[in-house]
Amino acid sequence: MHRQDVLKRLTRQGPVIAPSMLKCDFGRLAAEIDALTSAGAMVMHWDVMDGHFVPNLTYGAPVIAAVREQTGVLFDAHLMIAEPERYLDDFLAAGCDIVTVHYEAVADAGALLSKIREADRLAGLAINPGTPVEALTGMLPECDLVLVMSVEPGFGGQSFQPGALLKLRELKSLVSAGTILAVDGGIGPETIGPCAEAGANLFVVGSAIFDRPDYQAALDDLTAKIQAAA
Ligand code: DX5
Ligand code: ZN
């Protein structure tokens, strides 16, 4: 799908909840994808970790490519890896609609963002809790999506760090209207509303979906919290 069509799809229905596949049952990956698709998820967020940029390992482009055809849901690859430039082509070839790289992982994130856009995909830039918004200022025009980490990347199930709210507010005043503001880490019924109020419009959610038996109910409850906060 073309970048502009993906952007339209992401923005036309209001806030988007993206299940974080890090928290799914990998032994039943195909069934998990089907369950999320039926529950109405619009985006699946794939946490890619290399045991180097973050102290955990997950999966790479071959796994994403293997399941790409199983669903029409948009795929967002969150690359928590060193030297993302070495693997970028693989994630593009795997059919990721959004590719998000970490500011801290590359010397020149701007060049990578341009490359993602040249491939007609959405370019995302993530920042760790310790990175100030000011570090991104010059690159914001190159970003289709800015991802504020509200935990140290590496593991699901951590507590939300409220400093993310301040960053979302700051970013909201800096980015153009079409830019997606995403937040990732510790997002659940208590924290999703404040994030929506602070300006987030895409919410990455792991535990608060996968720890519940009914994904549709989890998505509906979280959506209601966003609407109540608006
Ligand atoms: C953490 C990942 C997150 C994480 C979210 O490094 O980027 O996507 O899996 O999981 P929860 O919602 O449990 O914090
Ligand atoms: Zn993530």
Side-chain angles (χ1 to χ4, degrees):
M1 199 186 294
H2 297 294
R3 175 174 162 268
Q4 288 300 345
D5 296 329
V6 174
L7 265 175
K8 260 185 232 151
R9 197 158 138 185
L10 281 175
T11 48
R12 78 179 164 208
Q13 278 166 354
V16 171
I17 296 169
S20 161
M21 302 308 284
L22 175 66
K23 293 292 294 180
C24 83
D25 177 353
F26 293 126
R28 300 173 51 256
L29 182 55
E32 294 280 58
I33 292 170
D34 285 345
L36 290 167
T37 307
S38 312
M42 196 188 289
V43 179
M44 287 177 194
H45 176 93
W46 296 91
D47 288 295
V48 179
M49 305 186 183
D50 66 351
H52 183 66
F53 180 72
V54 289
N56 195 10
L57 282 166
T58 52
Y59 40 75
V63 170
I64 296 176
V67 296
R68 175 61 280 197
E69 295 306 318
Q70 198 190 320
T71 178
V73 168
L74 298 173
F75 275 16
D76 168 25
H78 177 192
L79 304 187
M80 287 164 275
I81 60 174
E83 300 184 81
E85 63 278 10
R86 281 180 64 189
Y87 306 96
L88 185 59
D89 287 342
D90 296 340
F91 289 98
L92 295 171
C96 297
D97 304 285
I98 310 167
V99 180
T100 301
V101 295
H102 265 265
Y103 167 81
E104 302 83 4
V106 272
D108 183 5
L112 224 55
L113 294 167
S114 306
K115 204 172 163 198
I116 298 167
R117 274 189 175 171
E118 276 161 28
D120 208 13
R121 316 295 168 86
L122 256 63
L125 188 59
I127 47 169
N128 282 340
T131 303
V133 164
E134 291 69 47
L136 307 186
T137 320
M139 293 174 204
L140 291 175
E142 315 299 323
C143 299
D144 296 308
L145 177 152
V146 182
L147 176 64
V148 174
M149 290 303 300
S150 35
V151 298
E152 287 299 334
F155 301 92
Q158 303 182 73
S159 300
F160 179 79
Q161 297 187 16
L165 297 173
L166 221 63
K167 287 189 185 178
L168 287 167
R169 276 194 205 102
E170 208 179 334
L171 280 162
K172 179 83 183 155
S173 69
L174 294 173
V175 298
S176 62
T179 308
I180 294 159
L181 275 187
V183 61
D184 182 1
I187 305 297
E190 307 300 322
T191 52
I192 201 163
C195 288
E197 251 174 272
N201 50 15
L202 190 148
F203 307 85
V204 178
V205 182
S207 311
I209 293 174
F210 291 102
D211 289 355
R212 292 186 55 174
D214 183 343
Y215 298 160
Q216 168 97 61
L219 288 170
D220 288 351
D221 290 353
L222 291 166
T223 303
K225 298 276 182 193
I226 298 169
Q227 281 160 354

